[in-house]
Amino acid sequence: MNDNIEDYILGQLLYYTHTQALLPRIKPNWFESPLHKHIIEKMIAKYFNNDPIDYLSLSKGLTREQVQWMVRVGNDVYTTPNVSSYLPLLEQKYLRKQFIAEIEKLDFAVPLSKLIEQTQTIIDNTQFTTIHDPVSIHKVSAKALDNITDAISRGESITGKPTGWKSLDRILGGWNAGDLIVMAARPGMGKTALALSLIYEFGKLGGKGLIISLEMSAEQLAKRYFSLITDIVNWKIRNATLKEHEVIQLCESVTKSNVEFFVDEEPNASIQQIKSKAKIHKAKHGLDLLVIDYIQLMKGSKQNREQEIAEISRGLKLLAKELNITVIVLAQLSRKPEDRADKRPMLSDIRESGSIEQDADVVMFPFRPAKYEATQPEIEDAELIIAKNRHGECSIIPTTYIGNRTLYKENIEPKISSPFEF
């Protein structure tokens, strides 16, 4: 069938006129034969112009032999109409040829990291475009119901993976595979502290996490991590002014800790590099939660910055769906909150916010009111504002920020505020 698939599809489109509704799905480049490509191009143009598509209208410009061949292909149809079943095979044949051609162009003398990045770009660009047929709501509902009943049978009240924070589990349903979560704040609000706190709590429950840091080094993150697993203030760890008993405490805590997540420092990462790293990491170690710090430091392939951010945010959303993981990406806010009486951020405060806000399933803002006070206590009442939530309501979660440990904690008995407008 592969050898004659072009004849087969073209014949069905000519014989069964109702199959011509599939023409918008077809790209002429999928056809190797110049004649096939020419006829398909004419059929597509006539379809969009609402012109009749028949042997007479298509024969203009063709030789006598070509017209005879076209009529013969249409008359040779011997099966029921099933063009949609064979379009993916035609596209796959075309993409395979293109993929091999792009691989052959690679310069294998470049460094391995560059070679992997270029290969990943080729893979990402080799995407099927044929549209799947709609699925009955009964079939979709059955699958969703199975997921819910499975969660109930396991004694779980959420459909995602537990976050380690009961309040987040109630509002978001856990870390849901395929979600892109944007965590945004002004500098000094503790974005990285919150992200590290959440991935640590997730790791305590056995979740598999990876932090890709474009801002802080792996060693800087490790020093913050020490404050999570001990009660030693961060400045002592950072400045190496620990007393003997604190060194012993730290060594014991690191040795005994069974929490594991991975850290990757990549100061100049592109969206393609991050995709490659995430895919390789999942294959080697497994991956449920990917944290990226932060989006404005990432690079795309577009010249225009707005288009570049749009490419990056869309790429991260597609990565979450492709790998079936949750992606949390940190983002910077503009100065707008500081000009308002109420300093709480809003969605429009996200720098280059259009595409980021659109692609995100959840947008959350860590907010420390004491940041704007003359004196700041070591332990502060803070908030985690859920400003966008595709899974349910928007809410404010009361939290505690411990500044000398750069640590966010969920209140033991959190009282989640009523939903509000953003």
Side-chain angles (χ1 to χ4, degrees):
M1 175 59 71
N2 279 344
D3 294 338
N4 301 316
I5 189 171
E6 293 187 15
D7 284 0
Y8 181 81
I9 291 173
L10 190 58
Q12 290 228 334
L13 290 169
L14 289 166
Y15 189 82
Y16 297 109
T17 57
H18 68 275
T19 65
Q20 292 167 7
L22 297 172
L23 283 168
R25 300 187 184 187
I26 301 174
K27 293 183 179 179
N29 286 341
W30 296 350
F31 293 82
E32 289 187 37
S33 164
L35 179 58
H36 290 165
K37 189 178 300 185
H38 175 69
I39 294 173
I40 286 293
E41 285 174 344
K42 293 183 73 171
M43 294 178 79
I44 292 172
K46 290 181 179 299
Y47 179 86
F48 283 112
N49 288 330
N50 293 317
D51 293 334
I53 302 174
D54 51 37
Y55 295 113
L56 181 62
S57 65
L58 294 172
S59 63
K60 187 177 180 179
L62 299 180
T63 66
R64 179 184 180 87
E65 290 75 15
Q66 288 173 333
V67 173
Q68 290 175 338
W69 169 86
M70 180 174 61
V71 173
R72 185 174 65 252
V73 167
N75 291 337
D76 283 349
V77 172
Y78 55 88
T79 63
T80 56
N82 60 348
V83 176
S84 60
S85 299
Y86 286 91
L87 284 180
L89 297 179
L90 181 66
E91 184 184 15
Q92 182 177 357
K93 182 181 176 184
Y94 166 77
L95 290 175
R96 178 185 175 85
K97 183 179 178 181
Q98 293 298 110
F99 181 81
I100 292 172
E102 290 298 320
I103 290 293
E104 289 175 344
K105 292 179 186 177
L106 288 175
D107 180 4
F108 290 91
V110 300
L112 180 59
S113 60
K114 186 68 175 177
L115 185 62
I116 291 173
E117 180 183 352
Q118 292 173 346
T119 306
Q120 186 62 56
T121 300
I122 295 172
I123 293 171
D124 290 339
N125 291 335
T126 308
Q127 299 294 332
F128 291 99
T129 59
T130 43
I131 305 169
H132 298 291
D133 290 328
V135 181
S136 166
I137 186 61
H138 299 295
K139 188 173 182 178
V140 177
S141 299
K143 183 177 180 181
L145 186 58
D146 286 342
N147 291 337
I148 293 171
T149 53
D150 285 346
I152 293 172
S153 67
R154 294 193 303 267
E156 299 174 358
S157 58
I158 59 173
T159 53
K161 293 185 180 293
T163 66
W165 283 25
K166 292 181 180 179
S167 50
L168 276 178
D169 288 344
R170 286 203 297 273
I171 296 171
L172 305 182
W175 297 134
N176 294 282
D179 272 6
L180 173 62
I181 298 176
V182 174
M183 183 188 299
R186 288 291 297 150
M189 283 292 171
K191 298 184 298 297
T192 305
L194 177 58
L196 195 57
S197 300
L198 289 174
I199 201 169
Y200 173 68
E201 293 297 329
F202 186 60
K204 285 166 67 175
L205 298 175
K208 299 181 183 298
L210 168 66
I211 298 178
I212 298 180
S213 176
L214 286 75
E215 185 176 36
M216 299 179 67
S217 69
E219 184 175 346
Q220 288 174 315
L221 288 172
K223 289 176 179 178
R224 289 197 175 198
Y225 170 71
F226 293 155
S227 283
L228 290 178
I229 60 176
T230 66
D231 58 358
I232 302 172
V233 296
N234 189 259
W235 67 264
K236 282 189 172 186
I237 297 171
R238 189 172 59 250
N239 297 333
T241 56
L242 299 172
K243 296 180 180 179
E244 184 178 352
H245 75 277
E246 291 173 325
V247 173
I248 294 172
Q249 179 189 351
L250 182 56
C251 292
E252 289 180 348
S253 298
V254 171
T255 303
K256 293 179 180 178
S257 177
N258 58 2
V259 176
E260 184 177 42
F261 56 87
F262 291 80
V263 177
D264 189 321
E265 55 177 281
E266 187 62 65
N268 297 305
S270 66
I271 179 63
Q272 299 298 345
Q273 285 175 312
I274 285 178
K275 284 182 177 180
S276 178
K277 285 176 178 289
K279 291 175 181 180
I280 293 171
H281 185 84
K282 180 167 185 178
K284 289 177 65 177
H285 304 287
L287 184 62
D288 303 311
L289 180 64
L290 171 64
V291 177
I292 303 165
D293 186 9
Y294 59 94
I295 192 169
Q296 281 91 356
L297 293 178
M298 292 176 62
K299 296 179 180 179
S301 62
K302 309 295 183 183
Q303 297 298 319
N304 179 281
R305 183 55 179 168
E306 184 178 345
Q307 294 176 346
E308 189 176 39
I309 288 291
E311 175 194 11
I312 291 168
S313 65
R314 186 60 183 159
L316 292 176
K317 173 59 182 174
L318 293 176
L319 179 65
K321 293 181 69 175
E322 181 182 351
L323 295 188
N324 204 36
I325 62 174
T326 304
V327 174
I328 299 178
V329 60
L330 279 56
Q332 290 278 21
L333 292 179
S334 68
R335 296 180 181 274
K336 292 178 183 178
E338 297 176 1
D339 297 330
R340 296 192 294 262
D342 186 348
K343 309 295 185 185
R344 288 184 177 86
M346 300 185 295
L347 291 172
S348 59
D349 296 330
I350 304 176
R351 289 180 181 172
E352 297 113 353
S353 66
S355 56
I356 299 175
E357 178 186 338
Q358 177 182 331
D359 292 324
D361 297 283
V362 176
V363 177
M364 55 176 67
F365 301 128
F367 179 65
R368 296 166 46 206
K371 175 72 174 169
Y372 296 100
E373 297 175 3
T375 58
Q376 297 175 17
E378 289 186 359
I379 299 178
E380 306 173 21
D381 290 328
E383 299 172 351
L384 181 56
I385 301 170
I386 311 297
K388 178 183 178 181
N389 181 13
R390 282 206 177 113
H391 303 294
E393 298 175 338
C394 296
S395 307
I396 297 178
I397 301 173
T399 64
T400 299
Y401 179 72
I402 305 173
N404 58 15
R405 292 177 60 196
T406 56
L407 166 67
Y408 269 91
K409 278 190 158 185
E410 175 187 33
N411 288 359
I412 296 175
E413 295 184 359
K415 294 180 180 179
I416 302 170
S417 75
S418 300
F420 56 92
E421 296 293 331
F422 284 90

